[in-house]
Each structure stands twice: as C-alpha cells, then as structure tokens.
Amino acid sequence: MRMPKSLKTYMCLMLILTFIAAELILSWNISHAQSKSAQNSQPDLIGVVKNISGSKITIYIANLSSQNDGRGFGRGRIELTSNTQTITVSSKTSIVTRVFQNGQVTEKKLSTKDLKTNNILYIWYADSKKKTISKILVQGTYDPYQTPETIGVIKKAESSRITITVATIERPQPRQNMSNNQPQQRPAGQPPQGGFGRGMMNLKLSSQTKTVAISKSTEIVTRRFQNGQMVEKKLTVKDLKSNNIVYIWFSDSKKTTPKRVMVMGTYSKK
C-alpha cells in the first residue's frame, strides 16, 4: 500500500521538528547544568578589580583566608596579593551579582560597564586551559582596610607620635554556668572587655610597646552610626587620648609611619 505524498511530507516535517526540539532541550539542559555547576562550585580564580579597559579587566589575585562552615563559598575574608592578572571578557561571558528579591537570592545580570575598582570577582573558566571565562560573579567591594596591621591601646599621645601597648584580638570562651545554674550576665549597656567589637571579640594587651610617628599624611578617623549607616569622621592627633583603641595601617615596610589610624573606642579593664 502506497503512502500518500502529503502524509509522507507531514511525517518528514514532524520528524524534523522533533529532532530540532530535542536538540534545543538538550542544549538548554547542558547550559542549565553548567550554570548550576558554576553556581555551586568553587571559583577557579578570585580577584579584586584594579582597572578596566574595554573587555580587559586587570585584577589583583586574591585568596579566601578561611572557608565557611558548609554554607557555600564566599564567606571567608579576602586576602589580597601583589600579583596581578589581566582577564578578557567575551560576549559569551555571564557577569552577574546576587541580590535579595521576594525573600530569595536571585542573580542580576551586569555588564563590564557596571564593574568598579575594588569589586571582588569570583571567576569560572569554560575550558581546562583557563583561557575562556564562562562566568564572573561580583561579590561586593573589597575594603583595603579590612584587617589592621597593628592593633594597640594608646599609652601616650604627642603632637607627632603615639606610643601604644600592642594588643591582639581573641575570641571569648563560651560562658560557663554559675553555681546556681544561671548564665553569667553583663549589666545592661556595659561593653565587653576592650569596649568594642559587637560583643564578639576581646582585646588582649601584651607587654610590648611601640612608638609610631604621625605625619601630615597620616589619616586619622573613627567610625560612627549616622542616619542608620556607618560613616567615618576625620580626627586630628589632638583628638587622640590615652586608652584609645587604635587600628593601624603603615605606609612603610618597617612599620614606623602609619598611613591610617582608626580609633575603635576606649579600652577598659573592667
């Protein structure tokens, strides 16, 4: 029995459409799987934007100082290195950031024009040779003053120098129950030892003292809440007092001249 020509044409057309649909679904599944894989895997490279020129981005290579406790990557502290690398973004590179929307974390698409100096980038490559970038995730902005080089409590403040007692920050031990099985409590409004750090850190003084020179270029600041936001207020040497807790960043390798001093409250032994 001969098949009508019109039916044969119809069947051929259906086979072609089925094949095209299968190809599209397979491509989408592969793309979706790669996207999910990139989203849930560790980045191939972490960097902080140094400068941007068209499709080329020069970054300072960075590391995470510590990984998290199973909540996904990106919760460690960024440690910047002096090594730089230039990466090239193509039209196939997905640039995104993550935002909270309707109670969920969603990805928002960006372009190279949205990238700024000091943006933290998590980078995935599409190939094992690490030449083609498949995805860049913008993870906020790097704070160059995130970790102080020296922490101290001012012992003496003079017009051109300060003498500090070198200190370290340590995590407090878990509170022990008292004999009556009631937890130890701190009077309302009384800060933890050291007087700062959201109640999560304790300041431990050492026996070492250090004198550093304050130059005209030394930036002296403190931080305070204003209109619901943390803002910096500039200070002068005259504003520095004994027992001020200071975070210090230096401008020289010998660590004798600070480029930045941040006052973090007042130390109290009580």
Side-chain angles (χ1 to χ4, degrees), residues 43-52 57-60 62 78 87 89 95-96 110 115-116 118-124 133 135-142:
D44 297 311
L45 179 65
I46 300 174
V48 172
V49 176
K50 181 182 180 183
N51 56 63
I52 305 166
I57 307 170
T58 301
I59 60 171
Y60 290 105
I78 291 291
I87 59 175
V89 175
I95 306 176
V96 299
L110 303 176
L115 300 181
K116 309 293 182 184
N118 287 330
N119 274 165
I120 301 168
L121 307 183
Y122 283 8
I123 301 163
W124 288 266
I133 296 173
K135 182 174 181 177
I136 295 176
L137 174 63
V138 181
Q139 280 286 93
T141 303
Y142 173 74

PDB file of all heavy atoms in Angstrom, residues 43-52 57-60 62 78 87 89 95-96 110 115-116 118-124 133 135-142:
ATOM      1  N   PRO A  43      35.034  28.913  42.808  1.00  0.00           N
ATOM      2  CA  PRO A  43      35.537  29.630  41.627  1.00  0.00           C
ATOM      3  C   PRO A  43      36.954  29.179  41.275  1.00  0.00           C
ATOM      4  O   PRO A  43      37.709  28.730  42.132  1.00  0.00           O
ATOM      5  CB  PRO A  43      35.512  31.096  42.074  1.00  0.00           C
ATOM      6  CG  PRO A  43      35.583  31.046  43.564  1.00  0.00           C
ATOM      7  CD  PRO A  43      34.857  29.804  43.967  1.00  0.00           C
ATOM      8  N   ASP A  44      37.282  29.308  39.997  1.00  0.00           N
ATOM      9  CA  ASP A  44      38.632  28.970  39.541  1.00  0.00           C
ATOM     10  C   ASP A  44      39.635  30.054  39.916  1.00  0.00           C
ATOM     11  O   ASP A  44      40.824  29.787  40.061  1.00  0.00           O
ATOM     12  CB  ASP A  44      38.644  28.785  38.014  1.00  0.00           C
ATOM     13  CG  ASP A  44      37.772  27.623  37.574  1.00  0.00           C
ATOM     14  OD1 ASP A  44      37.918  26.533  38.156  1.00  0.00           O
ATOM     15  OD2 ASP A  44      36.946  27.820  36.668  1.00  0.00           O
ATOM     16  N   LEU A  45      39.139  31.264  40.081  1.00  0.00           N
ATOM     17  CA  LEU A  45      40.018  32.403  40.374  1.00  0.00           C
ATOM     18  C   LEU A  45      39.227  33.449  41.146  1.00  0.00           C
ATOM     19  O   LEU A  45      38.047  33.679  40.875  1.00  0.00           O
ATOM     20  CB  LEU A  45      40.542  33.005  39.059  1.00  0.00           C
ATOM     21  CG  LEU A  45      41.459  34.227  39.135  1.00  0.00           C
ATOM     22  CD1 LEU A  45      42.786  33.871  39.813  1.00  0.00           C
ATOM     23  CD2 LEU A  45      41.726  34.779  37.734  1.00  0.00           C
ATOM     24  N   ILE A  46      39.877  34.075  42.116  1.00  0.00           N
ATOM     25  CA  ILE A  46      39.283  35.179  42.862  1.00  0.00           C
ATOM     26  C   ILE A  46      40.179  36.401  42.679  1.00  0.00           C
ATOM     27  O   ILE A  46      41.410  36.294  42.781  1.00  0.00           O
ATOM     28  CB  ILE A  46      39.150  34.852  44.359  1.00  0.00           C
ATOM     29  CG1 ILE A  46      38.277  33.621  44.559  1.00  0.00           C
ATOM     30  CG2 ILE A  46      38.557  36.032  45.132  1.00  0.00           C
ATOM     31  CD1 ILE A  46      38.216  33.133  45.991  1.00  0.00           C
ATOM     32  N   GLY A  47      39.583  37.527  42.407  1.00  0.00           N
ATOM     33  CA  GLY A  47      40.386  38.725  42.201  1.00  0.00           C
ATOM     34  C   GLY A  47      39.650  39.991  42.614  1.00  0.00           C
ATOM     35  O   GLY A  47      38.435  39.989  42.814  1.00  0.00           O
ATOM     36  N   VAL A  48      40.413  41.061  42.736  1.00  0.00           N
ATOM     37  CA  VAL A  48      39.869  42.384  43.049  1.00  0.00           C
ATOM     38  C   VAL A  48      40.233  43.308  41.895  1.00  0.00           C
ATOM     39  O   VAL A  48      41.405  43.385  41.498  1.00  0.00           O
ATOM     40  CB  VAL A  48      40.426  42.923  44.381  1.00  0.00           C
ATOM     41  CG1 VAL A  48      40.003  44.369  44.599  1.00  0.00           C
ATOM     42  CG2 VAL A  48      39.972  42.054  45.541  1.00  0.00           C
ATOM     43  N   VAL A  49      39.252  43.997  41.354  1.00  0.00           N
ATOM     44  CA  VAL A  49      39.467  44.815  40.164  1.00  0.00           C
ATOM     45  C   VAL A  49      40.464  45.940  40.427  1.00  0.00           C
ATOM     46  O   VAL A  49      40.293  46.733  41.359  1.00  0.00           O
ATOM     47  CB  VAL A  49      38.132  45.419  39.667  1.00  0.00           C
ATOM     48  CG1 VAL A  49      38.382  46.359  38.489  1.00  0.00           C
ATOM     49  CG2 VAL A  49      37.158  44.319  39.274  1.00  0.00           C
ATOM     50  N   LYS A  50      41.495  45.976  39.601  1.00  0.00           N
ATOM     51  CA  LYS A  50      42.470  47.069  39.649  1.00  0.00           C
ATOM     52  C   LYS A  50      42.077  48.149  38.656  1.00  0.00           C
ATOM     53  O   LYS A  50      42.005  49.326  38.984  1.00  0.00           O
ATOM     54  CB  LYS A  50      43.876  46.548  39.338  1.00  0.00           C
ATOM     55  CG  LYS A  50      44.958  47.618  39.400  1.00  0.00           C
ATOM     56  CD  LYS A  50      46.329  47.060  39.043  1.00  0.00           C
ATOM     57  CE  LYS A  50      47.410  48.142  39.101  1.00  0.00           C
ATOM     58  NZ  LYS A  50      48.742  47.608  38.675  1.00  0.00           N
ATOM     59  N   ASN A  51      41.825  47.757  37.417  1.00  0.00           N
ATOM     60  CA  ASN A  51      41.322  48.687  36.411  1.00  0.00           C
ATOM     61  C   ASN A  51      40.632  47.912  35.292  1.00  0.00           C
ATOM     62  O   ASN A  51      40.818  46.701  35.143  1.00  0.00           O
ATOM     63  CB  ASN A  51      42.434  49.594  35.856  1.00  0.00           C
ATOM     64  CG  ASN A  51      43.590  48.800  35.276  1.00  0.00           C
ATOM     65  OD1 ASN A  51      43.418  48.070  34.317  1.00  0.00           O
ATOM     66  ND2 ASN A  51      44.774  48.939  35.853  1.00  0.00           N
ATOM     67  N   ILE A  52      39.834  48.647  34.514  1.00  0.00           N
ATOM     68  CA  ILE A  52      39.056  48.052  33.419  1.00  0.00           C
ATOM     69  C   ILE A  52      39.307  48.861  32.158  1.00  0.00           C
ATOM     70  O   ILE A  52      39.269  50.089  32.165  1.00  0.00           O
ATOM     71  CB  ILE A  52      37.557  48.063  33.759  1.00  0.00           C
ATOM     72  CG1 ILE A  52      37.292  47.363  35.097  1.00  0.00           C
ATOM     73  CG2 ILE A  52      36.747  47.399  32.657  1.00  0.00           C
ATOM     74  CD1 ILE A  52      35.911  47.612  35.652  1.00  0.00           C
ATOM     75  N   ILE A  57      40.026  43.183  31.918  1.00  0.00           N
ATOM     76  CA  ILE A  57      39.950  43.541  33.338  1.00  0.00           C
ATOM     77  C   ILE A  57      41.235  43.101  34.016  1.00  0.00           C
ATOM     78  O   ILE A  57      41.582  41.917  33.970  1.00  0.00           O
ATOM     79  CB  ILE A  57      38.754  42.860  34.025  1.00  0.00           C
ATOM     80  CG1 ILE A  57      37.448  43.143  33.273  1.00  0.00           C
ATOM     81  CG2 ILE A  57      38.642  43.311  35.474  1.00  0.00           C
ATOM     82  CD1 ILE A  57      36.279  42.306  33.758  1.00  0.00           C
ATOM     83  N   THR A  58      41.946  44.039  34.620  1.00  0.00           N
ATOM     84  CA  THR A  58      43.147  43.704  35.379  1.00  0.00           C
ATOM     85  C   THR A  58      42.763  43.572  36.845  1.00  0.00           C
ATOM     86  O   THR A  58      42.132  44.469  37.411  1.00  0.00           O
ATOM     87  CB  THR A  58      44.233  44.779  35.219  1.00  0.00           C
ATOM     88  OG1 THR A  58      44.561  44.899  33.826  1.00  0.00           O
ATOM     89  CG2 THR A  58      45.498  44.395  35.986  1.00  0.00           C
ATOM     90  N   ILE A  59      43.136  42.448  37.427  1.00  0.00           N
ATOM     91  CA  ILE A  59      42.755  42.175  38.815  1.00  0.00           C
ATOM     92  C   ILE A  59      43.988  41.899  39.664  1.00  0.00           C
ATOM     93  O   ILE A  59      45.026  41.475  39.164  1.00  0.00           O
ATOM     94  CB  ILE A  59      41.810  40.954  38.917  1.00  0.00           C
ATOM     95  CG1 ILE A  59      42.509  39.700  38.363  1.00  0.00           C
ATOM     96  CG2 ILE A  59      40.503  41.220  38.200  1.00  0.00           C
ATOM     97  CD1 ILE A  59      41.754  38.415  38.603  1.00  0.00           C
ATOM     98  N   TYR A  60      43.862  42.192  40.960  1.00  0.00           N
ATOM     99  CA  TYR A  60      44.805  41.683  41.944  1.00  0.00           C
ATOM    100  C   TYR A  60      44.308  40.296  42.338  1.00  0.00           C
ATOM    101  O   TYR A  60      43.144  40.130  42.706  1.00  0.00           O
ATOM    102  CB  TYR A  60      44.851  42.569  43.189  1.00  0.00           C
ATOM    103  CG  TYR A  60      45.477  43.923  42.986  1.00  0.00           C
ATOM    104  CD1 TYR A  60      44.683  45.072  42.908  1.00  0.00           C
ATOM    105  CD2 TYR A  60      46.855  44.067  42.900  1.00  0.00           C
ATOM    106  CE1 TYR A  60      45.253  46.330  42.728  1.00  0.00           C
ATOM    107  CE2 TYR A  60      47.437  45.320  42.725  1.00  0.00           C
ATOM    108  CZ  TYR A  60      46.637  46.443  42.635  1.00  0.00           C
ATOM    109  OH  TYR A  60      47.200  47.674  42.453  1.00  0.00           O
ATOM    110  N   ALA A  62      43.489  37.297  44.559  1.00  0.00           N
ATOM    111  CA  ALA A  62      43.143  37.256  45.982  1.00  0.00           C
ATOM    112  C   ALA A  62      42.870  35.826  46.420  1.00  0.00           C
ATOM    113  O   ALA A  62      42.661  34.924  45.591  1.00  0.00           O
ATOM    114  CB  ALA A  62      41.924  38.131  46.250  1.00  0.00           C
ATOM    115  N   ILE A  78      38.725  38.115  52.447  1.00  0.00           N
ATOM    116  CA  ILE A  78      39.558  38.276  51.259  1.00  0.00           C
ATOM    117  C   ILE A  78      40.954  38.746  51.650  1.00  0.00           C
ATOM    118  O   ILE A  78      41.109  39.707  52.398  1.00  0.00           O
ATOM    119  CB  ILE A  78      38.927  39.301  50.290  1.00  0.00           C
ATOM    120  CG1 ILE A  78      37.639  38.730  49.679  1.00  0.00           C
ATOM    121  CG2 ILE A  78      39.900  39.685  49.196  1.00  0.00           C
ATOM    122  CD1 ILE A  78      37.870  37.591  48.725  1.00  0.00           C
ATOM    123  N   ILE A  87      42.345  39.561  32.610  1.00  0.00           N
ATOM    124  CA  ILE A  87      41.406  38.606  32.034  1.00  0.00           C
ATOM    125  C   ILE A  87      40.599  39.300  30.946  1.00  0.00           C
ATOM    126  O   ILE A  87      40.428  40.524  30.969  1.00  0.00           O
ATOM    127  CB  ILE A  87      40.468  38.020  33.100  1.00  0.00           C
ATOM    128  CG1 ILE A  87      39.667  39.136  33.785  1.00  0.00           C
ATOM    129  CG2 ILE A  87      41.255  37.227  34.140  1.00  0.00           C
ATOM    130  CD1 ILE A  87      38.632  38.641  34.779  1.00  0.00           C
ATOM    131  N   VAL A  89      36.997  39.447  28.842  1.00  0.00           N
ATOM    132  CA  VAL A  89      35.577  39.089  28.850  1.00  0.00           C
ATOM    133  C   VAL A  89      35.074  39.038  27.413  1.00  0.00           C
ATOM    134  O   VAL A  89      35.362  39.933  26.616  1.00  0.00           O
ATOM    135  CB  VAL A  89      34.766  40.110  29.661  1.00  0.00           C
ATOM    136  CG1 VAL A  89      33.286  39.810  29.573  1.00  0.00           C
ATOM    137  CG2 VAL A  89      35.223  40.114  31.111  1.00  0.00           C
ATOM    138  N   ILE A  95      28.124  37.836  33.372  1.00  0.00           N
ATOM    139  CA  ILE A  95      28.534  38.664  34.507  1.00  0.00           C
ATOM    140  C   ILE A  95      27.291  38.924  35.355  1.00  0.00           C
ATOM    141  O   ILE A  95      26.313  39.478  34.864  1.00  0.00           O
ATOM    142  CB  ILE A  95      29.154  39.999  34.058  1.00  0.00           C
ATOM    143  CG1 ILE A  95      30.312  39.747  33.081  1.00  0.00           C
ATOM    144  CG2 ILE A  95      29.636  40.800  35.260  1.00  0.00           C
ATOM    145  CD1 ILE A  95      30.918  41.014  32.512  1.00  0.00           C
ATOM    146  N   VAL A  96      27.345  38.504  36.615  1.00  0.00           N
ATOM    147  CA  VAL A  96      26.161  38.627  37.473  1.00  0.00           C
ATOM    148  C   VAL A  96      26.561  39.057  38.878  1.00  0.00           C
ATOM    149  O   VAL A  96      27.726  39.005  39.260  1.00  0.00           O
ATOM    150  CB  VAL A  96      25.387  37.290  37.566  1.00  0.00           C
ATOM    151  CG1 VAL A  96      24.886  36.854  36.198  1.00  0.00           C
ATOM    152  CG2 VAL A  96      26.246  36.201  38.200  1.00  0.00           C
ATOM    153  N   LEU A 110      24.839  41.788  34.801  1.00  0.00           N
ATOM    154  CA  LEU A 110      25.612  43.027  34.724  1.00  0.00           C
ATOM    155  C   LEU A 110      26.407  43.039  33.420  1.00  0.00           C
ATOM    156  O   LEU A 110      26.459  42.038  32.700  1.00  0.00           O
ATOM    157  CB  LEU A 110      26.578  43.130  35.913  1.00  0.00           C
ATOM    158  CG  LEU A 110      25.997  43.073  37.330  1.00  0.00           C
ATOM    159  CD1 LEU A 110      27.118  43.089  38.353  1.00  0.00           C
ATOM    160  CD2 LEU A 110      25.048  44.245  37.583  1.00  0.00           C
ATOM    161  N   LEU A 115      31.098  47.267  36.345  1.00  0.00           N
ATOM    162  CA  LEU A 115      32.195  46.897  37.237  1.00  0.00           C
ATOM    163  C   LEU A 115      32.964  48.134  37.676  1.00  0.00           C
ATOM    164  O   LEU A 115      33.167  49.069  36.896  1.00  0.00           O
ATOM    165  CB  LEU A 115      33.136  45.911  36.551  1.00  0.00           C
ATOM    166  CG  LEU A 115      32.504  44.583  36.101  1.00  0.00           C
ATOM    167  CD1 LEU A 115      33.561  43.693  35.445  1.00  0.00           C
ATOM    168  CD2 LEU A 115      31.853  43.868  37.269  1.00  0.00           C
ATOM    169  N   LYS A 116      33.417  48.120  38.928  1.00  0.00           N
ATOM    170  CA  LYS A 116      34.142  49.248  39.503  1.00  0.00           C
ATOM    171  C   LYS A 116      35.455  48.762  40.125  1.00  0.00           C
ATOM    172  O   LYS A 116      35.622  47.585  40.440  1.00  0.00           O
ATOM    173  CB  LYS A 116      33.299  49.935  40.593  1.00  0.00           C
ATOM    174  CG  LYS A 116      31.883  50.297  40.176  1.00  0.00           C
ATOM    175  CD  LYS A 116      31.856  51.375  39.118  1.00  0.00           C
ATOM    176  CE  LYS A 116      30.404  51.743  38.766  1.00  0.00           C
ATOM    177  NZ  LYS A 116      30.346  52.725  37.655  1.00  0.00           N
ATOM    178  N   ASN A 118      38.007  47.857  42.846  1.00  0.00           N
ATOM    179  CA  ASN A 118      37.863  47.196  44.150  1.00  0.00           C
ATOM    180  C   ASN A 118      36.685  46.222  44.229  1.00  0.00           C
ATOM    181  O   ASN A 118      36.457  45.645  45.285  1.00  0.00           O
ATOM    182  CB  ASN A 118      37.783  48.199  45.311  1.00  0.00           C
ATOM    183  CG  ASN A 118      39.124  48.846  45.603  1.00  0.00           C
ATOM    184  OD1 ASN A 118      40.168  48.230  45.389  1.00  0.00           O
ATOM    185  ND2 ASN A 118      39.122  50.071  46.078  1.00  0.00           N
ATOM    186  N   ASN A 119      35.942  46.023  43.116  1.00  0.00           N
ATOM    187  CA  ASN A 119      34.946  44.959  43.105  1.00  0.00           C
ATOM    188  C   ASN A 119      35.645  43.607  43.292  1.00  0.00           C
ATOM    189  O   ASN A 119      36.684  43.349  42.701  1.00  0.00           O
ATOM    190  CB  ASN A 119      34.184  44.934  41.781  1.00  0.00           C
ATOM    191  CG  ASN A 119      32.995  45.873  41.746  1.00  0.00           C
ATOM    192  OD1 ASN A 119      32.472  46.161  40.682  1.00  0.00           O
ATOM    193  ND2 ASN A 119      32.555  46.368  42.885  1.00  0.00           N
ATOM    194  N   ILE A 120      35.042  42.749  44.108  1.00  0.00           N
ATOM    195  CA  ILE A 120      35.554  41.390  44.297  1.00  0.00           C
ATOM    196  C   ILE A 120      34.901  40.507  43.252  1.00  0.00           C
ATOM    197  O   ILE A 120      33.668  40.468  43.132  1.00  0.00           O
ATOM    198  CB  ILE A 120      35.231  40.871  45.707  1.00  0.00           C
ATOM    199  CG1 ILE A 120      35.845  41.784  46.774  1.00  0.00           C
ATOM    200  CG2 ILE A 120      35.723  39.432  45.884  1.00  0.00           C
ATOM    201  CD1 ILE A 120      35.330  41.512  48.177  1.00  0.00           C
ATOM    202  N   LEU A 121      35.717  39.794  42.471  1.00  0.00           N
ATOM    203  CA  LEU A 121      35.202  38.952  41.402  1.00  0.00           C
ATOM    204  C   LEU A 121      35.513  37.483  41.677  1.00  0.00           C
ATOM    205  O   LEU A 121      36.649  37.130  42.010  1.00  0.00           O
ATOM    206  CB  LEU A 121      35.823  39.342  40.050  1.00  0.00           C
ATOM    207  CG  LEU A 121      35.728  40.813  39.624  1.00  0.00           C
ATOM    208  CD1 LEU A 121      36.337  40.972  38.239  1.00  0.00           C
ATOM    209  CD2 LEU A 121      34.292  41.310  39.648  1.00  0.00           C
ATOM    210  N   TYR A 122      34.498  36.640  41.532  1.00  0.00           N
ATOM    211  CA  TYR A 122      34.675  35.196  41.525  1.00  0.00           C
ATOM    212  C   TYR A 122      34.564  34.769  40.065  1.00  0.00           C
ATOM    213  O   TYR A 122      33.586  35.095  39.391  1.00  0.00           O
ATOM    214  CB  TYR A 122      33.603  34.511  42.360  1.00  0.00           C
ATOM    215  CG  TYR A 122      33.839  34.601  43.858  1.00  0.00           C
ATOM    216  CD1 TYR A 122      34.845  35.400  44.390  1.00  0.00           C
ATOM    217  CD2 TYR A 122      33.035  33.893  44.738  1.00  0.00           C
ATOM    218  CE1 TYR A 122      35.052  35.477  45.742  1.00  0.00           C
ATOM    219  CE2 TYR A 122      33.233  33.965  46.110  1.00  0.00           C
ATOM    220  CZ  TYR A 122      34.255  34.764  46.605  1.00  0.00           C
ATOM    221  OH  TYR A 122      34.454  34.840  47.959  1.00  0.00           O
ATOM    222  N   ILE A 123      35.556  34.036  39.583  1.00  0.00           N
ATOM    223  CA  ILE A 123      35.695  33.774  38.151  1.00  0.00           C
ATOM    224  C   ILE A 123      35.725  32.274  37.873  1.00  0.00           C
ATOM    225  O   ILE A 123      36.436  31.526  38.555  1.00  0.00           O
ATOM    226  CB  ILE A 123      36.984  34.442  37.615  1.00  0.00           C
ATOM    227  CG1 ILE A 123      36.921  35.965  37.862  1.00  0.00           C
ATOM    228  CG2 ILE A 123      37.182  34.147  36.134  1.00  0.00           C
ATOM    229  CD1 ILE A 123      38.253  36.664  37.764  1.00  0.00           C
ATOM    230  N   TRP A 124      34.926  31.858  36.880  1.00  0.00           N
ATOM    231  CA  TRP A 124      34.940  30.471  36.416  1.00  0.00           C
ATOM    232  C   TRP A 124      35.361  30.440  34.945  1.00  0.00           C
ATOM    233  O   TRP A 124      34.937  31.294  34.160  1.00  0.00           O
ATOM    234  CB  TRP A 124      33.556  29.850  36.538  1.00  0.00           C
ATOM    235  CG  TRP A 124      33.133  29.552  37.933  1.00  0.00           C
ATOM    236  CD1 TRP A 124      33.264  28.383  38.602  1.00  0.00           C
ATOM    237  CD2 TRP A 124      32.468  30.447  38.843  1.00  0.00           C
ATOM    238  NE1 TRP A 124      32.738  28.488  39.877  1.00  0.00           N
ATOM    239  CE2 TRP A 124      32.236  29.740  40.051  1.00  0.00           C
ATOM    240  CE3 TRP A 124      32.046  31.766  38.754  1.00  0.00           C
ATOM    241  CZ2 TRP A 124      31.616  30.312  41.146  1.00  0.00           C
ATOM    242  CZ3 TRP A 124      31.426  32.347  39.851  1.00  0.00           C
ATOM    243  CH2 TRP A 124      31.213  31.616  41.030  1.00  0.00           C
ATOM    244  N   ILE A 133      36.531  32.695  29.767  1.00  0.00           N
ATOM    245  CA  ILE A 133      35.787  32.882  31.013  1.00  0.00           C
ATOM    246  C   ILE A 133      34.302  32.658  30.753  1.00  0.00           C
ATOM    247  O   ILE A 133      33.715  33.301  29.876  1.00  0.00           O
ATOM    248  CB  ILE A 133      36.033  34.285  31.587  1.00  0.00           C
ATOM    249  CG1 ILE A 133      37.501  34.431  31.975  1.00  0.00           C
ATOM    250  CG2 ILE A 133      35.139  34.543  32.793  1.00  0.00           C
ATOM    251  CD1 ILE A 133      37.888  35.811  32.386  1.00  0.00           C
ATOM    252  N   LYS A 135      31.913  32.634  33.444  1.00  0.00           N
ATOM    253  CA  LYS A 135      31.072  33.367  34.391  1.00  0.00           C
ATOM    254  C   LYS A 135      31.917  34.191  35.349  1.00  0.00           C
ATOM    255  O   LYS A 135      32.977  33.759  35.789  1.00  0.00           O
ATOM    256  CB  LYS A 135      30.201  32.386  35.185  1.00  0.00           C
ATOM    257  CG  LYS A 135      29.247  33.062  36.179  1.00  0.00           C
ATOM    258  CD  LYS A 135      28.320  32.062  36.826  1.00  0.00           C
ATOM    259  CE  LYS A 135      27.358  32.728  37.788  1.00  0.00           C
ATOM    260  NZ  LYS A 135      26.395  31.790  38.388  1.00  0.00           N
ATOM    261  N   ILE A 136      31.416  35.393  35.668  1.00  0.00           N
ATOM    262  CA  ILE A 136      32.005  36.251  36.697  1.00  0.00           C
ATOM    263  C   ILE A 136      30.892  36.623  37.672  1.00  0.00           C
ATOM    264  O   ILE A 136      29.843  37.132  37.266  1.00  0.00           O
ATOM    265  CB  ILE A 136      32.621  37.531  36.096  1.00  0.00           C
ATOM    266  CG1 ILE A 136      33.811  37.182  35.196  1.00  0.00           C
ATOM    267  CG2 ILE A 136      33.052  38.492  37.203  1.00  0.00           C
ATOM    268  CD1 ILE A 136      34.403  38.385  34.482  1.00  0.00           C
ATOM    269  N   LEU A 137      31.138  36.368  38.937  1.00  0.00           N
ATOM    270  CA  LEU A 137      30.187  36.737  39.983  1.00  0.00           C
ATOM    271  C   LEU A 137      30.782  37.880  40.799  1.00  0.00           C
ATOM    272  O   LEU A 137      31.864  37.752  41.364  1.00  0.00           O
ATOM    273  CB  LEU A 137      29.896  35.542  40.889  1.00  0.00           C
ATOM    274  CG  LEU A 137      29.027  35.803  42.127  1.00  0.00           C
ATOM    275  CD1 LEU A 137      27.631  36.251  41.720  1.00  0.00           C
ATOM    276  CD2 LEU A 137      28.955  34.555  42.997  1.00  0.00           C
ATOM    277  N   VAL A 138      30.086  39.013  40.842  1.00  0.00           N
ATOM    278  CA  VAL A 138      30.546  40.173  41.612  1.00  0.00           C
ATOM    279  C   VAL A 138      30.102  39.993  43.059  1.00  0.00           C
ATOM    280  O   VAL A 138      28.911  39.934  43.347  1.00  0.00           O
ATOM    281  CB  VAL A 138      29.995  41.488  41.033  1.00  0.00           C
ATOM    282  CG1 VAL A 138      30.517  42.684  41.829  1.00  0.00           C
ATOM    283  CG2 VAL A 138      30.373  41.624  39.565  1.00  0.00           C
ATOM    284  N   GLN A 139      31.087  39.897  43.968  1.00  0.00           N
ATOM    285  CA  GLN A 139      30.814  39.584  45.369  1.00  0.00           C
ATOM    286  C   GLN A 139      31.054  40.782  46.288  1.00  0.00           C
ATOM    287  O   GLN A 139      31.675  40.662  47.329  1.00  0.00           O
ATOM    288  CB  GLN A 139      31.700  38.416  45.821  1.00  0.00           C
ATOM    289  CG  GLN A 139      31.176  37.059  45.400  1.00  0.00           C
ATOM    290  CD  GLN A 139      29.985  36.626  46.216  1.00  0.00           C
ATOM    291  OE1 GLN A 139      28.849  36.851  45.840  1.00  0.00           O
ATOM    292  NE2 GLN A 139      30.218  36.000  47.338  1.00  0.00           N
ATOM    293  N   GLY A 140      30.576  41.951  45.874  1.00  0.00           N
ATOM    294  CA  GLY A 140      30.728  43.131  46.718  1.00  0.00           C
ATOM    295  C   GLY A 140      32.003  43.899  46.419  1.00  0.00           C
ATOM    296  O   GLY A 140      32.631  43.732  45.367  1.00  0.00           O
ATOM    297  N   THR A 141      32.402  44.734  47.356  1.00  0.00           N
ATOM    298  CA  THR A 141      33.564  45.610  47.184  1.00  0.00           C
ATOM    299  C   THR A 141      34.593  45.334  48.261  1.00  0.00           C
ATOM    300  O   THR A 141      34.262  45.210  49.442  1.00  0.00           O
ATOM    301  CB  THR A 141      33.139  47.092  47.241  1.00  0.00           C
ATOM    302  OG1 THR A 141      32.136  47.331  46.243  1.00  0.00           O
ATOM    303  CG2 THR A 141      34.320  48.016  46.992  1.00  0.00           C
ATOM    304  N   TYR A 142      35.840  45.233  47.837  1.00  0.00           N
ATOM    305  CA  TYR A 142      36.933  44.957  48.769  1.00  0.00           C
ATOM    306  C   TYR A 142      37.260  46.193  49.591  1.00  0.00           C
ATOM    307  O   TYR A 142      37.354  47.304  49.070  1.00  0.00           O
ATOM    308  CB  TYR A 142      38.173  44.516  47.989  1.00  0.00           C
ATOM    309  CG  TYR A 142      39.417  44.375  48.836  1.00  0.00           C
ATOM    310  CD1 TYR A 142      39.571  43.294  49.700  1.00  0.00           C
ATOM    311  CD2 TYR A 142      40.443  45.324  48.782  1.00  0.00           C
ATOM    312  CE1 TYR A 142      40.703  43.159  50.477  1.00  0.00           C
ATOM    313  CE2 TYR A 142      41.577  45.186  49.553  1.00  0.00           C
ATOM    314  CZ  TYR A 142      41.701  44.103  50.400  1.00  0.00           C
ATOM    315  OH  TYR A 142      42.828  43.976  51.175  1.00  0.00           O
TER     316      TYR A 142
END
